[in-house]
Amino acid sequence: MKAQSLHGHLDALLLAVLERGALHGYAIIEALRARSDGSLDLPTGTIYPALRRLERAGHVVSSWSTVNGRERRTYELTDSGRRALAVQRQGWHEFSATVGRFLGPDTPPATPV
Amino acid sequence: MKAQSLHGHLDALLLAVLERGALHGYAIIEALRARSDGSLDLPTGTIYPALRRLERAGHVVSSWSTVNGRERRTYELTDSGRRALAVQRQGWHEFSATVGRFLGPDTPPATPV
DNA sequence: ACCGACAAGTAGCCTAGCTACGTATGAAGG
DNA sequence: CCTTCATACGTAGCTAGGCTACTTGTCGGT
């Protein structure tokens, strides 16, 4: 999948991933990849700055820890983050419904086997 | 709706609108607004450059005409444009399914009154 | 005479994701 | 022992593409 399609929706994805529990950056990347069956394979240059943005915005808080001699920065959703997620989710549904109205109907229902 | 969410999906929208028949720029803007119940109200500074892009890419062709003393540039889908639309549609469905997997499930079905 | 709808367009800005780097540790393999 | 790969963090600079703000022009109504 073209990653740049994400424009404007990445924050929502990150918040959604963190909704299930705190994770560190690298694990977030893996979670996105896993839960999307590999179609979302985002580079660190995308994720790390995005997490900083979310932290600056107060939607997540981070804390350092060392696991197996490796430094980890773990991110956790704040209340503000949870509220933001709700808003983003709402926004996503409106957006996808609207675009779907233009692109949806004509898709062949399925190309069965 | 936040318009910047469109990033990367505008071309598909334009092709989809033109799929139903040739239109001139201004009419395209109105069609988008009408078919989205007003939630897609895009400025000319977004539409006109995008149409030029599509024309450069060979997905549409334009022709000038004068109606009531007003110059109109009417855009029409090419075969290449139709193929591109099919691809974009496919891409949209993958994209929305993937993002939906993260943002979809938890939306309250409705907040009744 | 003037204003609003119709109709087209451009220059320059800004957001935000991507490319391509750089750093460092631990485990595995030769 | 040394290399390589997975883990883990990060940044600088590029770029795409939609937006703001503006310009030009006709026509119809007041």
Side-chain angles (χ1 to χ4, degrees), chain B residues 58-71:
Chain B
H59 296 330
V60 301
V61 281
S62 68
S63 53
W64 287 96
S65 59
T66 305
V67 176
N68 284 346
R70 270 154 194 151
E71 297 279 292

Side-chain angles (χ1 to χ4, degrees), chain A residues 32-52:
Chain A
L32 286 166
R33 189 170 40 228
R35 284 179 61 187
S36 69
D37 290 324
S39 49
L40 281 179
D41 196 357
L42 306 181
T44 67
T46 291
I47 300 301
Y48 291 127
L51 288 168
R52 307 307 225 70

Side-chain angles (χ1 to χ4, degrees), chain A residues 99-110:
Chain A
V99 177
R101 210 178 304 175
F102 290 89
L103 295 178
D106 290 54
T107 314

Side-chain angles (χ1 to χ4, degrees), chain A residues 3-4 7-8 10 43 45-46 53 68-70:
Chain A
Q4 69 258 35
H7 236 284
L10 178 61
T46 291
R53 262 205 317 271
N68 285 345
R70 268 154 196 152

Side-chain angles (χ1 to χ4, degrees), chain B residues 3 7-8 10 45-46 53 68-70:
Chain B
H7 235 285
L10 177 61
T46 292
R53 261 205 319 273
N68 284 346
R70 270 154 194 151

